[in-house]
Amino acid sequence: RLIWDSLAILEFLAETHPDAQLWPADAVARAEARSVAAEMHSGFRPLRDHCPMAILRREPQAVLPEQVDTDVRRIVQVWRGCRARYGAAGPFPVGGFRHADAMYAPVATRFRTYLPNLEPYGDDGSAQAYVDAILALPAFLAWEAGARQQTGKA
């Protein structure tokens, strides 16, 4: 079997591993988490184009094009809203690390690379805490180590 679309992969994994709780148990939180994941899946083209994923680089940008600025503000708004509604107990917007967070892991790397300070984009500290939490996950650290090994950068 081949499953090539990221949203289809997420749903397949959730269906085949219900014990992993990859989507929130609460129906309203689950619907919003799916919406957030879908928005990432289909949106934020200016951010993707202007700030390509470069997991090992650090290239802070003083000024962003207006469309990228709009994307960053929207992402921070989404994270803050979800965290206020469903994730008050920790840094992850819909509770523990779930599918929606996997969709935003590449955004966390982009923010670290290009936008190490999210405060000018409406962050109250929760978006930065979320980025930091993703970047500290063992799975992310293994991903980063693989990139270092692949590129020969220590």
Side-chain angles (χ1 to χ4, degrees):
R1 291 185 257 174
L2 293 177
I3 304 171
W4 57 91
D5 180 81
S6 55
L7 289 178
I9 292 167
L10 297 181
E11 291 300 337
F12 175 79
L13 290 172
E15 289 172 4
T16 56
H17 300 284
D19 54 309
Q21 300 176 344
L22 299 170
W23 293 116
D26 176 77
V28 173
R30 187 171 54 252
E32 189 161 356
R34 283 183 166 133
S35 294
V36 165
E39 186 173 4
M40 180 64 240
H41 180 266
S42 64
F44 308 119
R45 180 59 53 200
L47 175 67
R48 294 175 200 237
D49 290 345
H50 185 77
C51 300
M53 190 172 153
I55 196 169
L56 301 178
R57 290 194 314 219
R58 303 295 180 270
E59 299 176 11
Q61 304 290 300
V63 178
L64 295 174
E66 184 177 339
Q67 291 178 313
V68 178
D69 183 276
T70 299
D71 280 356
V72 174
R73 289 179 186 283
R74 172 63 184 152
I75 291 166
V76 168
Q77 175 189 33
V78 165
W79 292 353
R80 284 182 68 183
C82 286
R83 185 166 185 229
R85 287 184 291 283
Y86 312 112
F92 295 103
V94 291
F97 187 84
R98 301 190 191 284
H99 274 333
D101 306 302
M103 293 295 287
Y104 281 91
V107 172
T109 71
R110 285 176 168 94
F111 286 177
R112 178 178 66 178
T113 298
Y114 304 104
L115 303 166
N117 180 12
L118 296 173
E119 191 175 327
Y121 303 95
D123 184 22
D124 62 357
S126 62
Q128 188 60 58
Y130 180 47
V131 168
D132 294 344
I134 287 176
L135 300 179
L137 290 168
F140 175 81
L141 295 173
W143 184 16
E144 186 176 42
R148 289 186 192 289
Q149 184 177 28
Q150 186 178 29
T151 62
K153 295 181 180 181

